[in-house]
Amino acid sequence: EPQLIKLDQPGPLTLAMYQFLTEMQETKKGVVTPKELFAQVCKRAIRFKGYQQQDSQELLRYLLDGMRAEE
């Protein structure tokens, strides 16, 4: 008999990352913008909100730490 496992809903940052990756895979138009994902990162790390040049490693760290915190 199969076991059923119920998972909690993903947090907003995790959901935005999922939607962005899904859109990248499925789109045929060639250009994908991560607006919702970026908005979710900015909610957690206000320093990225002003569209100034930032360190990509720092952005990735905030993204991954935020997703881990939502687990």
Side-chain angles (χ1 to χ4, degrees):
E1 191 171 314
Q3 286 187 343
L4 297 176
I5 299 173
K6 183 172 178 167
L7 300 174
D8 293 333
Q9 286 286 81
L13 184 60
T14 305
L15 184 59
M17 182 66 168
Y18 169 77
Q19 290 170 340
F20 175 64
L21 293 174
T22 301
E23 186 178 353
M24 280 178 42
Q25 271 188 326
E26 294 177 352
T27 188
K28 301 295 182 206
K29 59 186 175 183
V31 177
V32 178
T33 57
K35 288 180 183 180
E36 181 58 31
L37 179 60
F38 185 66
Q40 291 299 325
V41 170
C42 289
K43 285 181 182 179
R44 297 180 187 283
I46 297 172
R47 67 177 50 179
F48 295 108
K49 205 171 206 163
Y51 296 102
Q52 297 174 358
Q53 184 174 351
Q54 297 289 339
D55 185 12
S56 60
Q57 182 180 3
E58 190 176 8
L59 175 72
L60 183 60
R61 190 186 86 214
Y62 277 102
L63 175 63
L64 295 176
D65 284 348
M67 288 173 56
R68 185 180 330 140
E70 290 181 347
E71 288 182 349

